[in-house]
């Protein structure tokens, strides 16, 4: 059976969560990886059950309490982020205070803003300035959402836009946010280059490696055309 890197990651997460469930059922208190896996898997399973993003986050926020984890775990696992597939597309879920350690309890325990591991707010960020602007049309019969750091070139095949210009790009929106298009809707989006080491792993499996490697762009376009993605040059729906 052939699995994409995203599918392999999902199975790995599920296996870790099942281990956490089994250990908790034996009366053991969970460590950081176990707690994180169980919270993230709860989001993914809620999405698979058809729940909306807010409902999935709420379900994950109550799956564990301080009594379910080892001492100190609630102080470390203050936020869990996981990308899950909802009915309207992939969405980044951010579960804050996932083990029920809210600010009032932290204050009661003497854990102020200067405590070790405390999260301090940084400066406000504005949207990055787009380098490329593209007109995007959702030809699907369901809404499609694309999150901030998804490789836009590999977004839903039923989104019609200039794929070649979107190669190596992501949305010019704040981290954790997304753009949503309803069926038949068109919208202009701004894109910026993916930063860091510019390696695209997972997503739709069209790249799975360094974006700027020799021949990577051409091979990704070939794969997209073979898989029926709209907006690929020379293909139906392309430009």
């Amino acid at each position: 059976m052939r699995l994409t890197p995203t599918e392999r990651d999902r199975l790995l997460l599920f296996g870790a969560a099942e281990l956490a469930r089994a250990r908790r059922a034996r009366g053991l208190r969970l460590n950081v990886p176990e707690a994180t896996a169980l919270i993230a898997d709860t989001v993914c399973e809620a999405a698979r059950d058809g729940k909306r993003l807010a409902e999935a986050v709420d379900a994950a926020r109550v799956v564990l309490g301080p009594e379910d984890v080892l001492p100190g775990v609630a102080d470390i696992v203050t936020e869990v982020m996981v990308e899950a597939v909802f009915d309207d597309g992939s969405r980044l879920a951010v579960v804050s205070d996932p083990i029920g350690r809210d600010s009032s309890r932290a204050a009661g325990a003497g854990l102020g803003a200067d405590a070790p591991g405390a999260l301090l707010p940084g400066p406000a960020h504005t949207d990055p300035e787009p380098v490329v602007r593209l007109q995007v049309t959702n030809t699907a019969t369901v809404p499609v959402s694309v999150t901030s750091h998804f490789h836009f070139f590999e977004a839903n095949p039923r989104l019609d836009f200039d794929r070649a210009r979107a190669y190596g790009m992501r949305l010019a929106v704040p981290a954790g946010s997304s753009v949503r298009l309803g069926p038949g809707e068109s919208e202009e989006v701004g894109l910026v280059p993916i930063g860091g080491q510019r390696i695209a792993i997972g997503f739709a499996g069209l790249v799975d490696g360094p974006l700027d490697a020799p021949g990577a762009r051409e091979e990704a376009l070939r794969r997209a055309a073979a898989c029926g993605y709209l907006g690929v040059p020379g293909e139906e729906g392309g430009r």
Side-chain angles (χ1 to χ4, degrees), residues 36-58:
T36 303
L38 184 52
I39 293 163
D41 183 71
T42 299
V43 172
C44 294
E45 288 302 295
R48 185 66 178 85
D49 290 338
K51 289 183 170 60
R52 302 178 65 181
L53 175 60
E55 296 173 322
V57 170
D58 288 343

Side-chain angles (χ1 to χ4, degrees), residues 153 161-168 217 221 231-233:
F153 171 85
F161 59 91
D162 190 339
R163 299 269 170 182
R165 292 186 66 202
Y167 182 83
R217 182 175 181 275
L221 285 166
V232 180

Side-chain angles (χ1 to χ4, degrees), residues 5-20:
T6 300
E7 291 166 336
R8 289 197 296 268
D9 289 345
R10 177 69 190 98
L11 288 176
L12 180 62
L13 174 61
F14 177 77
E18 283 293 281
L19 177 62

Side-chain angles (χ1 to χ4, degrees), residues 146-236:
V146 183
T147 52
S148 59
H149 282 61
F150 195 93
H151 183 203
F152 203 77
F153 171 85
E154 301 183 64
N156 193 295
R158 295 299 93 194
L159 292 180
D160 190 7
F161 59 91
D162 190 339
R163 299 269 170 182
R165 292 186 66 202
Y167 182 83
M169 298 281 184
R170 67 171 182 86
L171 285 167
V173 296
S177 59
S178 63
V179 169
R180 182 180 186 274
L181 287 86
E185 288 184 354
S186 293
E187 182 177 332
E188 184 182 81
V189 302
L191 304 177
V192 295
I194 292 174
Q197 296 182 359
R198 289 182 54 77
I199 296 176
I201 299 293
F203 301 111
L206 299 181
V207 181
D208 281 335
L211 288 161
D212 302 321
R217 182 175 181 275
E218 292 73 17
E219 176 61 17
L221 285 166
R222 186 195 66 77
R223 291 181 181 179
C227 293
Y229 279 70
L230 296 179
V232 180
E235 296 299 316
E236 183 180 354

